[in-house]
Amino acid sequence: MSVSREEVLRIAQLAELDVEKEALPELVDNMSRIIDYVAQLSAVPANGTVKVFVPGPDAIRFRADEVTPAHLAFGPAEFAPDFKEGFFVVPKLGQFE
Amino acid sequence: MSSSWETIIGLETHVQLRTKSKMFCGCATAFGAPPNTQVCPVCLGLPGALPMPNGAAIGLAVRAALALGCTVHPKSVFARKNYFYPDLPKGYQISQFDQPLATNGTLSFLAPERGIVTAGVVRLHLEEDAGKSIHDRFPKATAVDLNRSGVPLIEIVGGPDLRSPAEARAYLQTLKQLLEYIGISDCDMEKGSLRVDANVSVRRAGETALNTRTEVKNINSFAFVEKALTVERDRQIALIESGGAVTQQTMLYDSKENAVRPQRSKEESHDYRYFPEPDLPPLVLTPEFVAEQQSALPELPAAKRDRFVATYALSREHATVVTSNRAVADYYENVVRAGAEPQAAANWVMTEALADAKDHQEQLRVAPGALAQIVALVKGGTLSHQAAKKVFGEVAAKGGEPRTIAEALGLIQVADSNVVAGWVTDVLGAHASEVGRYKSGETKLMAFFVGQVMRASKGKADPKLAQRVLEEKLTAS
Amino acid sequence: MSDAKAVADRLVKAKRLNALLTPPKDLRKSLAIQEAAARPTGVLYGMPVAVKDNICTLEFTTTCGSRILEGYRSPYEATAVAKLKTAGALIAGKTNCDEFAMGSSTEHSAYGRVLHPLDKARVPGGSSGGSAALVAAGAVPAALGSETGGSVRQPAAFCGVVGIKPTYGRVSRYGLVAFGSSLDQIGVFGRSVHDAARVLSVISGRDPRDSTCEDRDPLRLPTVPESLQGFVIGLPKEYFPPELDPAVRRACDRAVRLMKELGAAVREVSLPHTPYAVPTYYVIAPAEASSNLARYDCVRYGPRFDGRVDLRGLYRSTRGQGFGPEVRRRILVGTYVLSAGYYDAYYKRAQQMRALIAQDFRNAFDRGVDLLFTPTVPSPAFKAGEKLSDPIAMYMSDIFTVTANLAGLPAMSLPIGRIKGLPLGGQLVGQAFLEDEMIEAAYALERVVPATDEA
Ligand SMILES: [Zn+2]
């Protein structure tokens, strides 16, 4: 296994995803196989001079500094799971500050 | 205890750019709107929305970089900084990482202990602000307002070149002054448009290696910069002296307690997984664009100060005060241009004008031409200094022409020697015993007589003339 | 009977495919409203176009085939959708897809798998399987899909319809729910090359809301050519490996022979980095996806799967339950390859490999080749469940399509025959922003390939 159980759990925490205990062994196995599979890229002789390829325009276009908010057909109160007095409401942050 | 210790401080300053619209969308940036009313698909992080960069924000960032003497890179790259927080709508902040807008600048400032210090600016990059989490609005819940989400910021990362909390304060003051000068931000810490985090470490005097540092956050007012850093420095020194070791962590400053406490750490360390923002092509700046920003820069404070010393023969200290603020410097020059003698004009600006402004929402209420006239009236002997201050106050409060006001208030100095002689005669007649003492050699009583004449004339007598007449009469009789 | 009603009837008739996520009632109601509002002067006036459920519409919910967006209504619409409406088209409901477009079979939808119109035991391909199936079933003449690694071309091949992925930057991505932002493009399905191409032409062109969309005029439609005289077609040898399904090879050989008969010059070329395309793709796409899918945190929209009091717990339960297994897997892989200590070994390496893959194409085109021709997929539609337990086997069905996404090039699939009743697709890959040449060749080939015959 190229990816350990602990690593999967650490990554899941970073990605804010619950991983069920029963699903963990299969996930570790899948992740390992995928990582092993993509690891063949590192076997290619590294060529530090390769310029990164980015599709699309070569340069950013600038927007004019004008107040032109994109239209919302309806406001946040219509799609938010909890919206009170103009605010999105979430449970307290727990171990965050 | 701190004499054998050296403090190493580097500041990371976030500055909100003065734009009408946000960094990546057309929403307004105006402060104080009702929550979640200045939002759109982009700054709400709705599925499918994409960023579109604000050219004005990029221009202002380039101006800041140029003013700090940075190398502005013709090509820089936006990157995503990934982390979860309820006021970070996309789950990442669009920032810049390994290819920032500008690097390698400097900021010179007057350090209280070391004189002129040139601190390094490691990098300056563009990013978007997060929204606001409000923890005391609802019980057991956090309220999120995304009006601020996507507001343009620059982050200025200073080198570890500051050696005391007072120096950090002076650096920040100078930085703020510079940024206000070039008009890229209102730099209001209370409104959050200037925010500062500090990296702090200590080492024994003579050591050269850097020790483990902490990051001090939540310094949300200018007044707290020095206090917060002093508290943290003292904490680190005490810790090491008692045999402990500093651990790398984030400390939050509590201004009520004047104390720092460690941020309750999340179980995993920060791993922001930066990678190039695929929704934005590279930020390419043409030489013309950079030149345009350069030409939009006004004279910078240091250059202006040097020029004031050279042109107006002001002392360095006076020039520093007069140029501390661009509006004040412009005001001073207008007063001089209106005909005031430069040193006298500086004295008036530094004292009466600034004091009045401080009490009146930073408004310089007396027009430059009027102040120049007041200065001239004093110089010409028409107004005493005391009377001139009164006139200044009147003009500030009600406007009008200084001379007319002085006349209306009866403050014009009486320079007619016959009139003054009348007051002198009255005074000498009323103080026969003092006259005797003067004549027997107690000449320091002259000041007393002058004062009495001023009193008798209700301040209108020209004091120099009064003294001359007094001398004449006291020696003659 | 009004057009809107006929359109709705045809779509409802195809219900058994589970290709449409829009409930019939909503569909009928909206189509009637849209028909009344449609501009008769538009070039697509009255044409029903079904839209993949990862493209934002005001008329219908946009769930991306995911529980985490169950019932989500977008308060704005995608630029492509707005352009369709301006052209008079009718948005004919939202089509089922692999969750967040991650998959090659449309089995990874929270709303059930889509059936292949010709064999219900098989998959229609994916991730735009719903759009492909509806077009193949004759329910709509055209549909929008999206591509990240072949999600239009592969299901087009499996279902026997035309599927076009334009050049990266040809069509605005504004309102397309992001999966792999540097790879994503909205693509189109059509019963014919012409149907697909005219829809593409309408949705293409500049958009001030997408920085990655090129500042270009919309695509101009070519006319149907008399011959392929002057065309040089390259056959990349890496796309015809010895182990290729013989039926696929026979169908390709026949298509090549037909193109030659039409006057095209054909030559073999090499794209040497092709073997690394799939691993490159499976680093870059999940990396971008892990970041793009961070916004589904149930703070601003989407349902909450809670039961826990603190926010972090809510994040984890919502994201853990709201995302399906394939999406979770890719978020984890993407998070892993971007995390401290692995970035250089995986992400950076993949970026470099991507550059080499793009260079391969430039080299081929620089040597005078106008277009490349390859099989779209190594095999015809596979059976449902066949590749579910083996993610890498599933990924390999993208082997011939991911390269065009990595290189940002236009590519399309069109039917080139059948094996045991199952359609086979041939792929044309064009040069950046030369969709017109690619479509011209497709017009010519489409006229001569007997799509219904066994190859
Ligand atoms: Zn906005």
Side-chain angles (χ1 to χ4, degrees):
Chain A
M1 290 290 163
S2 57
V3 183
S4 69
R5 211 185 115 92
E6 290 65 37
E7 244 171 340
V8 171
L9 290 173
R10 181 181 68 84
I11 292 296
Q13 218 164 55
L14 211 48
E16 299 289 7
L17 280 177
D18 260 349
V19 174
E20 281 164 13
K21 260 214 174 79
E22 314 81 72
L24 190 58
E26 197 195 337
L27 193 56
V28 171
D29 175 65
N30 275 330
M31 285 270 292
S32 291
R33 283 168 58 199
I34 295 166
I35 294 299
D36 287 345
Y37 174 69
V38 300
Q40 61 180 294
L41 290 174
S42 9
V44 183
N47 184 347
T49 62
V50 176
K51 260 183 83 182
V52 173
F53 168 75
V54 185
D58 296 330
I60 272 183
R61 289 190 303 275
F62 294 170
R63 194 188 86 239
D65 182 25
E66 286 156 7
V67 178
T68 50
H71 178 68
L72 292 174
F74 41 86
E78 307 286 315
F79 50 78
D82 192 355
F83 197 76
K84 239 188 282 174
E85 296 166 29
F87 292 97
F88 295 99
V89 182
V90 293
K92 270 262 191 302
L93 293 151
Q95 53 274 74
F96 286 121
E97 264 313 303
Chain B
M1 69 175 178
S2 59
S3 63
S4 61
W5 289 90
E6 187 176 40
T7 315
I8 316 288
I9 299 169
L11 297 186
E12 290 174 9
T13 314
H14 286 88
V15 182
Q16 181 181 332
L17 298 172
R18 195 197 290 270
T19 57
K20 294 198 276 289
S21 65
K22 292 184 180 180
M23 184 68 221
F24 295 114
C25 62
C27 290
T29 54
F31 185 78
N36 295 304
T37 54
Q38 291 173 170
V39 292
C40 76
V42 179
C43 56
L44 284 170
L46 295 187
L50 294 170
M52 200 65 192
N54 181 341
I58 294 164
L60 294 178
V62 169
R63 275 181 222 178
L66 292 170
L68 288 165
C70 292
T71 304
V72 176
H73 298 292
K75 183 181 157 185
S76 63
V77 171
F78 284 105
R80 290 187 184 177
K81 179 181 184 179
N82 296 283
Y83 65 96
F84 286 87
Y85 205 78
D87 58 26
L88 187 72
K90 300 185 295 294
Y92 57 83
Q93 178 193 29
I94 304 178
S95 179
Q96 294 191 299
F97 183 54
D98 55 355
Q99 294 182 70
L101 181 80
T103 51
N104 203 21
T106 56
L107 180 68
S108 295
F109 65 99
L110 185 63
E113 300 111 1
R114 293 197 291 161
I116 301 287
V117 167
T118 300
V121 170
V122 179
R123 56 185 277 147
L124 183 152
H125 69 249
L126 268 161
E127 59 188 30
E128 57 174 344
D129 208 344
K132 229 168 130 180
S133 291
I134 301 154
H135 304 298
D136 53 8
R137 171 99 193 189
F138 303 119
K140 290 183 183 170
T142 296
V144 179
D145 173 13
L146 296 177
N147 282 349
R148 207 180 64 187
S149 156
V151 161
L153 300 178
I154 48 172
E155 181 173 345
I156 301 166
V157 180
D161 302 331
L162 312 175
R163 291 293 172 270
S164 71
E167 232 170 66
R169 185 191 160 87
Y171 164 93
L172 193 63
Q173 198 94 52
T174 309
L175 180 63
K176 178 174 185 280
Q177 180 200 42
L178 177 71
L179 299 174
E180 282 170 344
Y181 242 82
I182 62 175
I184 65 144
S185 174
D186 61 16
C187 291
D188 187 336
M189 272 188 107
E190 273 66 37
K191 276 198 263 172
S193 56
L194 180 83
R195 278 169 264 163
V196 65
D197 301 330
N199 290 305
V200 183
S201 66
V202 296
R203 64 185 173 199
R204 288 186 197 275
E207 282 177 3
T208 51
L210 291 174
N211 288 331
T212 305
R213 62 176 201 211
T214 59
E215 189 174 13
V216 183
K217 290 194 164 185
N218 204 35
I219 308 173
N220 44 30
S221 157
F222 228 98
F224 301 148
V225 174
E226 206 172 332
K227 284 185 179 170
L229 297 181
T230 304
V231 168
E232 174 56 12
R233 177 197 61 192
D234 293 349
R235 186 191 70 87
Q236 290 191 15
I237 292 172
L239 189 64
I240 298 174
E241 285 186 339
S242 66
V246 175
T247 46
Q248 190 164 353
Q249 60 184 334
T250 298
M251 307 298 294
L252 296 178
Y253 178 66
D254 180 341
S255 57
K256 283 193 198 104
E257 307 278 322
N258 191 35
V260 290
R261 60 195 161 80
Q263 185 169 38
R264 271 192 275 170
S265 60
K266 296 189 251 164
E267 57 270 66
E268 81 277 5
S269 60
H270 287 298
D271 185 346
Y272 290 126
R273 290 158 285 136
Y274 281 100
F275 73 105
E277 164 58 287
D279 287 333
L280 293 168
L283 173 52
V284 176
L285 301 174
T286 61
E288 296 76 45
F289 181 82
V290 176
E292 215 175 281
Q293 304 311 319
Q294 179 81 64
S295 65
L297 283 180
E299 183 182 27
L300 300 181
K304 201 180 275 278
R305 185 191 59 217
D306 294 349
R307 183 168 62 80
F308 278 23
V309 169
T311 311
Y312 304 123
L314 299 183
S315 69
R316 205 185 154 82
E317 287 67 37
H318 286 179
T320 303
V321 176
V322 174
T323 57
S324 64
N325 173 299
R326 192 169 153 195
V328 172
D330 289 349
Y331 178 75
Y332 169 76
E333 290 210 276
N334 286 332
V335 174
V336 173
R337 258 182 233 125
E341 189 271 315
Q343 183 58 54
N347 293 342
W348 276 90
V349 170
M350 288 186 296
T351 55
E352 298 306 309
L354 285 181
D356 184 66
K358 200 171 174 194
D359 295 337
H360 297 94
Q361 284 108 41
E362 304 300 323
Q363 295 305 303
L364 293 159
R365 301 193 299 166
V366 174
L371 180 52
Q373 202 185 100
I374 293 171
V375 172
L377 288 171
V378 174
K379 189 152 189 271
T382 312
L383 281 183
S384 69
H385 192 73
Q386 280 311 110
K389 279 185 174 177
K390 255 186 218 161
V391 172
F392 183 94
E394 280 295 307
V395 176
K398 296 176 186 149
E401 207 211 1
R403 192 177 182 99
T404 317
I405 286 169
E407 278 165 3
L409 293 175
L411 293 171
I412 301 292
Q413 291 190 135
V414 174
D416 182 330
S417 50
N418 287 330
V419 179
V420 173
W423 286 321
V424 168
T425 307
D426 291 351
V427 165
L428 295 181
H431 297 91
S433 70
E434 282 83 0
V435 170
R437 280 160 60 197
Y438 181 90
K439 286 189 173 170
S440 55
E442 213 178 319
T443 53
K444 67 173 187 210
L445 278 168
M446 179 53 78
F448 167 77
F449 291 123
V450 173
Q452 289 304 312
V453 172
M454 294 309 290
R455 197 168 165 183
S457 69
K458 298 198 177 80
K460 283 192 273 185
D462 178 340
K464 282 183 198 131
L465 179 63
Q467 182 164 351
R468 214 171 60 230
V469 175
L470 277 165
E471 277 165 1
E472 273 169 27
K473 296 229 166 179
L474 285 165
T475 45
S477 56
Chain C
M1 191 166 75
S2 76
D3 283 355
K5 186 165 186 313
V7 169
D9 287 348
R10 272 197 298 277
L11 282 160
V12 172
K13 227 177 97 190
K15 206 168 173 282
R16 63 171 186 96
L17 300 175
N18 194 32
L20 198 70
L21 294 174
T22 307
K25 214 177 96 196
D26 295 1
L27 184 68
R28 288 183 193 282
K29 197 173 146 196
S30 174
L31 280 171
I33 295 168
Q34 290 183 57
E35 191 185 39
R39 302 178 190 192
T41 51
V43 295
L44 298 182
Y45 178 62
M47 182 182 192
V49 179
V51 173
K52 188 177 179 179
D53 202 33
N54 63 347
I55 299 172
C56 293
T57 49
L58 289 168
E59 289 77 13
F60 312 106
T61 58
T62 300
T63 70
C64 301
S66 180
R67 283 187 74 197
I68 211 159
L69 281 176
E70 193 164 359
Y72 175 72
R73 299 191 81 90
S74 172
Y76 76 100
E77 67 187 1
T79 299
V81 171
K83 287 183 175 181
L84 282 179
K85 285 161 72 176
T86 303
L90 305 175
I91 307 305
K94 301 299 282 290
T95 65
N96 201 353
C97 56
D98 282 305
E99 185 177 3
F100 286 101
M102 295 179 192
S104 308
S105 64
T106 319
E107 292 169 286
H108 298 297
S109 166
Y111 306 102
R113 77 175 182 96
V114 176
L115 311 188
H116 192 290
L118 299 174
D119 180 349
K120 64 179 193 234
R122 291 180 189 270
V123 302
S127 64
S128 317
S131 289
L134 284 181
V135 174
V140 280
L144 297 191
S146 74
E147 275 246 1
T148 306
S151 283
V152 167
R153 287 163 288 158
Q154 187 254 25
F158 277 10
C159 293
V161 298
V162 174
I164 310 179
K165 177 201 97 77
T167 312
Y168 186 86
R170 173 64 94 177
V171 175
S172 168
R173 293 188 293 117
Y174 192 75
L176 166 65
V177 178
F179 160 15
S181 311
S182 74
L183 302 152
D184 294 344
Q185 270 290 287
I186 291 178
V188 292
F189 293 94
R191 281 173 311 201
S192 64
V193 173
H194 185 62
D195 281 341
R198 65 199 188 112
V199 172
L200 176 61
S201 160
V202 163
I203 65 171
S204 64
R206 61 179 58 83
D207 179 11
R209 298 197 186 282
D210 177 2
S211 302
T212 63
C213 183
E214 293 271 2
D215 188 19
R216 282 173 188 261
D217 290 333
L219 171 69
R220 298 254 297 263
L221 283 184
T223 49
V224 182
E226 288 305 309
S227 75
L228 285 177
Q229 210 80 50
F231 274 87
V232 180
I233 310 281
L235 304 178
K237 65 178 185 200
E238 292 79 8
Y239 287 66
F240 298 91
E243 64 275 16
L244 186 66
D245 184 324
V248 173
R249 182 184 302 275
R250 281 200 303 279
C252 285
D253 287 348
R254 183 176 67 180
V256 169
R257 199 178 67 238
L258 291 167
M259 287 190 284
K260 274 187 191 158
E261 284 168 17
L262 284 165
V266 174
R267 66 166 81 139
E268 191 186 84
V269 295
S270 174
L271 303 171
H273 294 92
T274 303
Y276 298 108
V278 175
T280 299
Y281 176 83
Y282 279 95
V283 171
I284 292 172
E288 293 182 1
S290 71
S291 175
N292 284 330
L293 271 58
R295 67 186 60 193
Y296 305 103
D297 59 3
C298 70
V299 173
R300 286 145 295 122
Y301 43 81
R304 290 180 178 174
F305 299 80
D306 47 20
R308 276 184 259 180
V309 284
D310 82 326
L311 180 66
R312 204 152 252 259
L314 180 59
Y315 276 168
R316 288 183 182 165
S317 57
T318 296
R319 290 167 58 80
Q321 294 169 52
F323 291 132
E326 179 62 20
V327 172
R328 286 204 301 268
R329 198 149 54 213
R330 294 205 200 185
I331 289 174
L332 291 173
V333 169
T335 305
Y336 180 91
V337 298
L338 288 176
S339 66
Y342 296 111
Y343 181 89
D344 284 357
Y346 295 102
Y347 186 79
K348 206 169 155 201
R349 199 77 199 88
Q351 288 283 74
Q352 291 178 325
M353 186 53 72
R354 182 177 189 176
L356 295 172
I357 289 163
Q359 188 58 47
D360 279 356
F361 282 100
R362 273 196 299 277
N363 291 344
F365 291 131
D366 284 350
R367 288 189 198 115
V369 167
D370 300 312
L371 288 169
L372 300 169
F373 179 80
T374 79
T376 309
V377 197
S379 64
F382 49 85
K383 289 219 167 77
E386 195 180 311
K387 303 192 178 189
L388 270 183
S389 61
D390 185 355
I392 291 169
M394 185 75 94
Y395 297 172
M396 291 311 283
S397 73
D398 300 335
I399 189 162
F400 298 149
T401 50
V402 290
T403 47
N405 300 81
L406 288 168
L409 298 173
M412 66 187 290
S413 178
L414 71 165
I416 55 165
R418 293 189 180 208
I419 170 74
K420 293 181 188 143
L422 290 174
L424 299 170
Q427 171 174 244
L428 288 166
V429 182
Q431 301 175 56
F433 297 100
L434 294 181
E435 283 91 348
D436 48 351
E437 282 186 13
M438 177 179 83
I439 290 166
E440 235 183 304
Y443 272 141
L445 185 57
E446 179 184 49
R447 290 211 308 189
V448 294
V449 167
T452 51
D453 288 12
E454 297 271 333

